[in-house]
Amino acid sequence: MKLTYHGHSCVLLETGGHRLLFDPFLSGNEQAVVKPEEVRCDHILLTHGHDDHIGDTAAIAKANNATIIANFEIASFFGDQGLTTHGMYHGGAHTFPFGRVKFTIAHHGSSYSGPNGRIALGNPAGILVTAEGKTVYHAGDTGLFLDMKLIGELDPIDLAILPIGDNFTMGPEDAVRAADYLETRAVLPVHYNTWPIIEADVDDFCRHLHSKGVQGHPLKPGESIDL
Ligand code: NI
Ligand code: MN
């Protein structure tokens, strides 16, 4: 399994010949080194409706004939546009050709700036993907919550993708605690340094993780790791 970071919360997971793209915010993200038209994927997984997560979903889904996996409201929103979707919700799991996806809670919002103003797109989620015997947890945008202990207990986590930028999500201190609650082996820090309001010291974050016996992967946009 190979993971490539595309900046902000956008991650590409390659597993068993499949390409899963999370939260493809590329247009308008000055940190992104890949253009939406360059991305190849067969599934797009969305944690919530905010513009910095839905991003280029419609264009990429259309160009790749990709299936959008998201909460029911987001799935319906894109389904109404003629795109292929699969709706899910918190606590629900489904086995896809590439592996198992489970939706978890996240404490955040999920509105979207549609053409006729801001619309509600259900509730935000975290997403667990289990494939090739590995489990990756994309926490989406969220604050720290105690149920992360339950999430880690139900599905032992190999890599947790955690926001650390503060203000809209957990900051670094709470994200270190999240890694502890999840009992994850490693963390990919995301959702930081995209704008001044979410600047974070990622090296300091990884030092704190390391002191707890957790590996930090401070990837720059365009960089990859093998899991
Ligand atoms: Ni958000
Ligand atoms: Mn966000």
Side-chain angles (χ1 to χ4, degrees), residues 17 29 37 47 57 73 76 88 135 145 152 180 184:
N29 178 8
E37 55 270 27
T47 60
T57 293
E73 288 82 3
S76 303
M88 296 185 68
T135 294
F145 54 91
D180 187 43
T184 182

Side-chain angles (χ1 to χ4, degrees), residues 8 48 50 52-53 108 141 191:
H8 204 54
H48 63 292
H50 286 161
D52 59 320
H53 295 260
H108 196 64
D141 281 0
H191 212 272

Side-chain angles (χ1 to χ4, degrees), residues 157-161 179 184-188 209 214-217 227:
I157 294 165
D158 296 281
L159 179 82
I161 300 167
T184 182
R185 290 152 39 128
V187 171
L188 171 73
L209 277 183
V214 180
Q215 194 179 1
H217 293 291
L227 296 175

Side-chain angles (χ1 to χ4, degrees), residues 87-100:
M88 296 185 68
Y89 245 117
H90 306 147
H94 182 77
T95 301
F96 291 86
F98 58 82
R100 176 179 180 262

Side-chain angles (χ1 to χ4, degrees), residues 1-5 11-20 22 131-132 134 136 159 219 222-227:
M1 191 183 283
K2 182 181 172 189
L3 181 152
T4 304
Y5 182 47
V11 165
L12 178 74
L13 209 57
E14 294 171 64
T15 176
H18 290 275
R19 297 168 68 87
L20 321 181
F22 289 84
E132 295 181 65
K134 299 261 161 67
V136 174
L159 179 82
L219 299 186
E223 291 183 345
S224 302
I225 47 165
D226 287 309
L227 296 175

